[in-house]
Amino acid sequence: MTDEELMRRALDEARAAAALGEVPVGAVVARHGQVVAAAHNTRETGRNATHHAELLAIDAACRALDGWRLWECELFVTLEPCPMCMGAILNSRIPRVVYGAPDAKAGCCGSVVDLAALPFNHHPRVEGGLLEAESAALLAEFFAALRARRAEQKALGIPTAWQLRKARRAAAQAEHKEETP
């Protein structure tokens, strides 16, 4: 598969994330041009801060290839990796990372900081901008819809999912305090 085909596969994963209400980021680990693993964000549905597309794809690739060194693999991801994901990229020895849209808030391939340029023992080659417009549009559409949905909920007096979770936690803590002598 070509780089563009692999990034389009990552975009398919990002669309799957959006369909679940997740931030639309998708990742593909390829070896010799063939997909080894693909994943998308599941932080909300999995209720786990580490469920980024890159980490899930790297984990699946390690399992598929029966090893933690992915030195023959490449990572294609729709959004510039964050510090956590860049750490996994460095530790798994992925030699090449290709991303779509830059991330001005958390990107660690040059937008905020360039972790690949620091004196670690591994230095992946990083290429940004492949299908950037399509990746950025998917994110922009998702967040525009999310803001509109939240504004509508606020106008109707409907609590957000975050507010409901916060209320449940507060109730559970209050119940625990009552039970504790």
Side-chain angles (χ1 to χ4, degrees):
M1 296 176 81
T2 67
D3 286 0
E4 184 173 327
E5 289 170 326
L6 290 165
M7 185 61 80
R8 289 203 180 282
R9 177 73 190 277
L11 281 162
D12 289 342
E13 288 291 329
R15 287 184 198 92
L20 294 172
E22 297 280 352
V23 174
V25 177
V28 168
V29 175
R31 181 175 178 221
H32 307 303
Q34 298 302 311
V35 174
V36 173
H40 55 268
N41 279 3
T42 59
R43 284 191 337 168
E44 297 298 328
T45 53
R47 296 182 182 192
N48 189 321
T50 67
H51 280 206
H52 286 207
E54 300 96 310
L55 291 184
L56 296 172
I58 288 169
D59 180 62
C62 289
R63 284 186 277 112
L65 297 173
D66 196 31
W68 63 269
R69 290 179 187 90
L70 301 179
W71 60 277
E72 292 184 309
C73 296
E74 300 171 314
L75 176 72
F76 292 81
V77 59
T78 58
L79 182 65
E80 181 181 3
C82 74
M84 176 176 63
C85 294
M86 212 41 211
I89 291 163
L90 293 169
N91 281 299
S92 62
R93 310 296 196 264
I94 293 174
R96 180 172 177 241
V97 177
V98 180
Y99 69 87
D103 185 352
K105 294 181 179 180
C108 286
C109 296
S111 290
V112 174
V113 69
D114 187 356
L115 292 181
L118 294 178
F120 293 110
N121 62 335
H122 176 66
H123 301 276
R125 189 172 80 240
V126 178
E127 301 168 25
L130 182 60
L131 300 179
E132 178 179 345
E134 200 168 332
S135 297
L138 191 57
L139 287 158
E141 290 166 14
F142 174 82
F143 285 111
L146 181 64
R147 284 189 296 276
R149 196 166 48 253
R150 286 183 177 164
E152 183 180 341
Q153 286 178 319
K154 186 176 181 178
L156 296 171
I158 300 170
T160 64
W162 179 83
Q163 290 169 324
L164 291 171
R165 283 193 301 272
K166 183 178 176 184
R168 280 194 299 268
R169 278 193 304 271
Q173 287 172 348
E175 184 178 313
H176 178 71
K177 284 181 182 178
E178 290 174 7
E179 294 173 358
T180 306

